[in-house]
């Protein structure tokens, strides 16, 4: 005999809120890292700036290194990056 099966739960509102929270944290971290540097910017400061708890940051990114990795990944593949790659690839004589 098996127990009742779990219903899937999908909430577009919750997904949007999670995405907005992630974006606020990334923006706050980007600003603090740019002004204070990696060593001086703390998770607590990032949390205050993003208006979330430090635990939320740890749950989403695991660490300050995780935030930095996401910032680098986001910067590496934005439209400006792709345009620069296309421009570099079109040059015949390096």
């Amino acid at each position: 005999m098996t127990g009742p099966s779990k219903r899937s739960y999908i909430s577009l509102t919750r997904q949007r809120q999670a995405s907005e929270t992630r974006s606020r944290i990334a923006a706050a971290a980007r600003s603090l890292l740019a002004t204070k540097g990696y060593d001086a910017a703390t998770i607590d400061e990032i949390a205050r700036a993003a208006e979330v708890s430090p635990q939320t940051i740890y749950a989403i990114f695991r660490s300050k290194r995780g935030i930095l990795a996401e910032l680098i990944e986001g910067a590496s593949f934005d439209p400006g990056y792709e345009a620069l790659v296309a421009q570099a690839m079109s040059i015949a004589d390096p």
Side-chain angles (χ1 to χ4, degrees):
M1 185 160 144
T2 62
S5 63
K6 283 189 168 185
R7 289 189 304 161
S8 64
Y9 176 76
I10 298 172
S11 170
L12 298 179
T13 300
R14 177 65 193 115
Q15 289 173 353
R16 184 179 81 304
Q17 290 170 338
S19 177
E20 289 170 358
T21 298
R22 186 178 200 95
S23 294
R24 275 198 335 269
I25 294 168
R30 184 181 304 109
S31 175
L32 284 167
L33 292 170
T35 58
K36 297 184 101 177
Y38 183 83
D39 289 334
T42 67
I43 292 290
D44 287 339
E45 289 175 316
I46 295 168
R48 272 193 300 279
E51 299 178 344
V52 299
S53 71
Q55 292 82 1
T56 299
I57 293 177
Y58 288 116
I60 294 172
F61 293 100
R62 304 275 184 243
S63 66
K64 192 164 48 169
R65 183 179 286 175
I67 297 170
L68 184 61
E70 179 152 321
L71 292 174
I72 290 169
E73 184 177 323
S76 297
F77 299 105
D78 71 355
Y81 171 81
E82 292 178 15
L84 287 173
V85 169
Q87 181 183 4
M89 297 302 284
S90 69
I91 296 173
D93 184 18

